[in-house]
């Protein structure tokens, strides 16, 4: 089974660079690649094999076209007949092209109930 929930919102420009330290001591703090851009990491997790499938990192927020491209070019080729893909109820996850790409791979697509917290 695959869960293709995207992990979004990793912001290095919001990292705290100050904190408390004993008197007279310097508290080092730094954030590598500190910028205002928000990288987006999208991947699928295979529960039975405990591994990540089709990882992708983009230099900014992910829109519907980028998500569809990820499904068609990265996720769908990793799917086998009978795989179950679970996506949240985000509108871009329900796009016709996304559903078609997953079904073309003979995989099943499931969404949680609309009131579900997961």
């Amino acid at each position: 089974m695959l869960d293709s929930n995207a992990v979004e919102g990793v912001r290095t420009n919001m990292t705290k660079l100050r904190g408390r330290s004993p008197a007279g001591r310097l508290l080092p703090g730094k954030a590598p690649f500190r910028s205002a851009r928000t990288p987006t990491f999208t991947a699928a997790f295979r529960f039975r094999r405990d591994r990540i499938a089709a990882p992708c990192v983009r230099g900014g927020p992910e829109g519907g076209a980028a998500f569809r491209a990820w499904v068609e070019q990265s996720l769908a080729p990793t799917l086998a007949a009978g795989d179950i893909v679970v996506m949240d109820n985000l509108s871009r996850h329900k796009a016709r092209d996304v559903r078609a790409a997953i079904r073309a791979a003979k995989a099943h697509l499931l969404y949680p109930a609309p009131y579900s917290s997961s």
Side-chain angles (χ1 to χ4, degrees), residues 25-46:
R25 292 221 166 144
L26 178 66
L27 178 68
K30 62 182 178 177
F33 310 109
R34 189 172 166 86
S35 71
R37 290 183 11 186
T38 303
T40 301
F41 175 75
T42 305
F45 180 74
R46 290 193 172 271

Side-chain angles (χ1 to χ4, degrees), residues 91-105:
S91 61
R92 76 179 119 220
H93 295 172
K94 294 183 172 186
R96 183 176 297 145
D97 295 342
V98 169
R99 293 189 316 246
I102 292 170
R103 291 183 178 138

Side-chain angles (χ1 to χ4, degrees), residues 73-105:
Q73 298 168 16
S74 297
L75 178 63
T78 69
L79 296 174
D83 278 351
I84 299 170
V85 179
V86 180
M87 290 193 203
D88 61 15
N89 287 305
L90 190 61
S91 61
R92 76 179 119 220
H93 295 172
K94 294 183 172 186
R96 183 176 297 145
D97 295 342
V98 169
R99 293 189 316 246
I102 292 170
R103 291 183 178 138

